[in-house]
Amino acid sequence: MITRPDRYRWVVLAAGALGQGANASYFLGLPVLIPQLRDHFALSLPQAGLLVGAVNLGTMLTLVLWGASADRFGERPVMAIGLLAAALCLAGAAAADDVLFAALALLGAGAFGASANAASGRAVMIWFPAGQRGIAMGVRQCATPAGAALSALVLPLAAHAGGVPLAFLVLAAISVIAAIAVVIWVREPEGAVRAPKDSGAGEVLRSPRLWRLSLASACLVIPQFTTAALLVELFHEHRGVSLAVASTLLAVAQLLGAGGRLFNGAWSDRVRSRLGPLRTVSVLIAASLALVALLDWGNVAVPVLAVVAVAATALSLSWNGLAFTAAGEMAPEGRSGTALGFQNTANYLAAAIAPGIAGWLAAEVSWPVAFAVGGGAAVLSLVLLRKL
């Protein structure tokens, strides 16, 4: 085993990224199953969006708790316990015949899977110096769209072969594998500072700068989950493209989004700023979503719309590492996990409601309006970031 700290940190990063990717395989990858979920549980598009959003609601409820636990006990026990419990919940979703039971199981999967989110972020903060933290967090963050891209390719095949239950069992198996990797490879560096027993999270949670950053991040989650939740339905149901092609478009967008997270992380290291690049990306997201709305309103050819929509989705997926790193760097020593958990709580609150609202807008108002609202949220984020 590699033992040199300057090399071993990449091993820890890889294991943490695997845990984050396993979590993303269902919290961000489930929208690809919306057509099958609608058939399996007899749901409308808005109802299917709410079912998918249950994962994000569960995550939102526990992120600060997991972050504070990682600050107190370290990343390895927090991630391992959470990922194994999430696998059990996903297995429960596979056994569900009732949509309410399935929603509760997905709520639990999100609540336990949140452990990988805050804890793997804390590992980056304590293992990597500031000059490499952006690219390291970019690697960790690109596991999110990579996990979702894997789901976009694998889950429809699993659902075709064995129905929705088999797709959920595949997700459970991924979480078990990630938990094993965490147990084997994740540890803390020598001299890592943990939060003391008598230290509360109040100092972190009262920070006005962290609140503003978290609100700006929540606004950027709206276009992220609007595009991720609607891309397959936009081309399959609205434009008549085959489900296989529509799913492939989502997978391509997820992979491009992963590359964007790496690029943005390296960019932020080079310019020694997280917020400057984040503002620029917010502008690009707003412009690209506005263009998607205009092209669909104008009923342009599917290939043209596909290029722009995939680019908009990739941009909407690319910003997270910048905001996540900024939140960790705002935290007092030993409290990065709590700060990361708090920042992501705002993200997941938006993620829990965005798919349902976007689905309702697309079904009851119009597809262009759904994408235009996503672009407007990015504009609001830019306003908040300019004040930060």
Side-chain angles (χ1 to χ4, degrees):
M1 177 180 292
I2 298 172
T3 56
R4 285 183 56 191
D6 59 339
R7 298 175 62 189
Y8 190 79
R9 61 189 176 201
W10 296 100
V11 176
V12 175
L13 175 60
L18 180 60
Q20 178 64 14
N23 182 227
S25 67
Y26 53 91
F27 89 73
L28 198 57
L30 273 180
V32 76
L33 282 181
I34 282 179
Q36 290 91 336
L37 289 170
R38 291 181 64 185
D39 291 341
H40 186 74
F41 292 112
L43 303 174
S44 67
L45 178 58
Q47 289 171 333
L50 289 174
L51 177 61
V52 170
V55 174
N56 304 298
L57 178 60
T59 302
M60 178 201 69
L61 295 174
T62 59
L63 270 167
V64 173
L65 177 61
W66 285 119
S69 298
D71 286 337
R72 177 69 185 89
F73 302 107
E75 295 82 19
R76 178 160 54 182
V78 166
M79 280 197 285
I81 292 170
L83 287 167
L84 288 174
L88 289 175
C89 291
L90 290 166
D97 292 323
D98 179 75
V99 68
L100 179 59
F101 185 86
L104 290 174
L106 292 178
L107 185 77
F112 287 108
S115 61
N117 195 303
S120 63
R122 180 182 183 270
V124 172
M125 299 303 297
I126 65 176
W127 272 98
F128 287 85
Q132 295 181 339
R133 201 172 285 153
I135 186 62
M137 195 68 82
V139 171
R140 180 260 184 203
Q141 287 290 107
C142 80
T144 300
L150 178 64
S151 290
L153 294 174
V154 172
L155 293 187
L157 297 176
H160 178 74
V164 167
L166 180 58
F168 282 130
L169 289 176
V170 168
L171 294 172
I174 293 172
S175 285
V176 171
I177 293 169
I180 293 171
V182 165
V183 170
I184 294 173
W185 287 303
V186 171
R187 64 174 175 82
E188 290 181 310
E190 293 183 8
V193 178
R194 291 190 184 181
K197 293 181 181 180
D198 58 351
S199 173
E203 181 183 3
V204 177
L205 303 184
R206 288 191 296 268
S207 168
R209 296 184 71 233
L210 184 60
W211 272 90
R212 184 175 287 275
L213 175 64
S214 300
L215 289 173
S217 298
C219 290
L220 284 177
V221 166
I222 294 173
Q224 181 179 42
F225 276 80
T226 295
T227 53
L230 295 185
L231 190 66
V232 171
E233 288 288 299
L234 171 68
F235 288 100
H236 176 56
E237 182 174 299
H238 180 54
R239 287 302 191 100
V241 175
S242 72
L243 183 58
V245 172
S247 298
T248 301
L249 290 175
L250 179 58
V252 170
Q254 298 282 7
L255 291 174
L256 290 174
R261 293 185 179 199
L262 287 173
F263 175 84
N264 288 338
W267 177 20
S268 73
D269 283 340
R270 183 173 181 179
V271 300
R272 299 182 182 276
S273 170
R274 318 297 176 197
L275 298 180
L278 186 58
R279 294 185 187 101
T280 301
V281 173
S282 298
V283 172
L284 295 175
I285 292 171
S288 64
L289 266 291
L291 185 56
V292 170
L294 285 173
L295 292 177
D296 186 59
W297 177 71
N299 199 33
V300 301
V302 167
V304 175
L305 180 62
V307 170
V308 177
V310 166
T313 303
L315 282 168
S316 299
L317 288 163
S318 71
W319 60 270
N320 299 68
L322 297 171
F324 201 57
T325 308
E329 291 176 341
M330 289 180 183
E333 189 176 25
R335 279 297 183 186
S336 61
T338 305
L340 295 172
F342 178 75
Q343 185 262 351
N344 264 305
T345 297
N347 288 4
Y348 282 89
L349 174 60
I353 62 176
I357 293 175
W360 180 84
L361 287 172
E364 302 299 330
V365 184
S366 73
W367 287 89
V369 167
F371 286 102
V373 168
V379 173
L380 179 57
S381 175
L382 180 63
V383 172
L384 290 167
L385 289 170
R386 288 178 66 86
K387 299 284 187 178
L388 186 60

